[in-house]
Amino acid sequence: ETGVTQTPRHLVMGMTNKKSLKCEQHLGHNAMYWYKQSAKKPLELMFVYNFKEQTENNSVPSRFSPECPNSSHLFLHLHTLQPEDSALYLCASSQASWGLAGAVAKNIQYFGAGTRLSVL
Amino acid sequence: RKEVEQDPGPFNVPEGATVAFNCTYSNSASQSFFWYRQDCRKEPKLLMSVYSSGNEDGRFTAQLNRASQYISLLIRDSKLSDSATYLCVVNPRDDKIIFGKGTRLHILP
């Protein structure tokens, strides 16, 4: 148990569906991340939130919409996905602090178990 | 050169043997380095941080070579339970984290 909980663990959805992935961390961290892991590809960072503010969006298509209502919760809203979006979606958290350039996340990350998404 | 590069393997190693693999990185200003372990269909978990002076944790030794821009992981007296994918993680600047594709390790009985 890493202290990062993701739900659901498995999700099958059609291309016209709307669904949301949820992540909750109980570690007192203030930085949260969404990653995508496809077969035979490295982990791809999608979004970063430091102190509830989105600080990174790695050219992710708009059919993925993140939401961070507080430092413990992170959502990924999905709509009109494509079959190639099928993957393992991992949430992670870490401790962040304020640096000269703003929020700086410490880089030891704790991952949730992931949501395995299949888009039909 | 890719930002972070690892030999994907698989490395098939008999139980009890010593195995080592490297990870190269392109940004010489990279600040932090880590090894994560990911079991099949599970999430990545931190194995160890990599310090400039090298560090050891039981059977695992991690080293950093800044001149040649690589980090290494050495596993001694390998166990069946060491079978996993080992991910190299590099932090080229404060707000960026890059994962390698991972090296698959199979320990054979």
Side-chain angles (χ1 to χ4, degrees):
Chain A
E1 178 60 50
T2 63
V4 181
T5 305
Q6 287 188 245
T7 54
R9 293 293 307 277
H10 301 273
L11 178 62
V12 179
M13 59 188 288
M15 290 192 285
T16 58
N17 292 158
K18 287 185 181 181
K19 297 285 184 185
S20 295
L21 309 185
K22 179 182 175 183
C23 177
E24 184 175 358
Q25 58 93 3
H26 311 275
L27 301 169
H29 290 162
N30 42 31
M32 296 187 77
Y33 311 78
W34 279 117
Y35 287 89
K36 175 183 178 182
Q37 189 172 39
S38 305
K40 300 187 179 180
K41 283 189 170 183
L43 274 169
E44 300 171 62
L45 181 64
M46 299 174 74
F47 301 105
V48 181
Y49 279 82
N50 286 327
F51 296 93
K52 299 186 297 177
E53 298 296 322
Q54 188 180 124
T55 57
E56 190 152 346
N57 175 341
N58 272 349
S59 304
V60 180
S62 59
R63 57 186 184 269
F64 295 92
S65 173
E67 178 191 359
C68 188
N70 56 60
S71 57
S72 299
H73 293 85
L74 186 64
F75 294 90
L76 188 62
H77 303 301
L78 316 171
H79 65 97
T80 59
L81 294 192
Q82 305 297 312
E84 60 264 29
D85 296 323
S86 298
L88 179 67
Y89 288 85
L90 290 159
C91 171
S93 72
S94 70
Q95 191 58 34
S97 60
W98 287 104
L100 290 175
V104 173
K106 301 300 182 190
N107 293 305
I108 294 178
Q109 302 198 354
Y110 296 83
F111 285 84
T115 295
R116 194 160 293 280
L117 173 68
S118 297
V119 181
L120 305 179
Chain B
R1 187 188 226 181
K2 291 182 182 174
E3 288 186 285
V4 176
E5 200 154 8
Q6 294 184 253
D7 182 340
F11 284 53
N12 297 310
V13 174
E15 191 175 8
T18 295
V19 60
F21 26 84
N22 293 339
C23 165
T24 58
Y25 60 93
S26 60
N27 188 332
S28 59
S30 296
Q31 302 163 7
S32 309
F33 309 87
F34 307 89
W35 284 105
Y36 279 70
R37 170 195 170 130
Q38 186 172 24
D39 293 294
C40 188
R41 304 183 74 82
K42 300 270 187 151
E43 73 275 19
K45 293 184 180 177
L46 179 69
L47 179 66
M48 57 199 305
S49 303
V50 186
Y51 303 125
S52 297
S53 55
N55 49 306
E56 189 174 312
D57 182 3
R59 298 182 293 108
F60 297 83
T61 301
Q63 294 198 309
L64 167 63
N65 185 317
R66 282 197 183 274
S68 300
Q69 294 181 208
Y70 72 87
I71 64 171
S72 63
L73 179 67
L74 178 82
I75 306 175
R76 287 181 299 278
D77 186 24
S78 53
K79 313 289 185 193
L80 294 176
S81 56
D82 294 333
S83 297
T85 296
Y86 291 84
L87 303 170
C88 166
V89 181
V90 176
N91 162 224
R93 62 173 196 260
D94 276 339
D95 60 345
K96 192 172 170 108
I97 302 161
I98 303 173
F99 280 77
K101 288 188 177 183
T103 296
R104 284 189 297 141
L105 175 64
H106 295 155
I107 305 300
L108 308 172

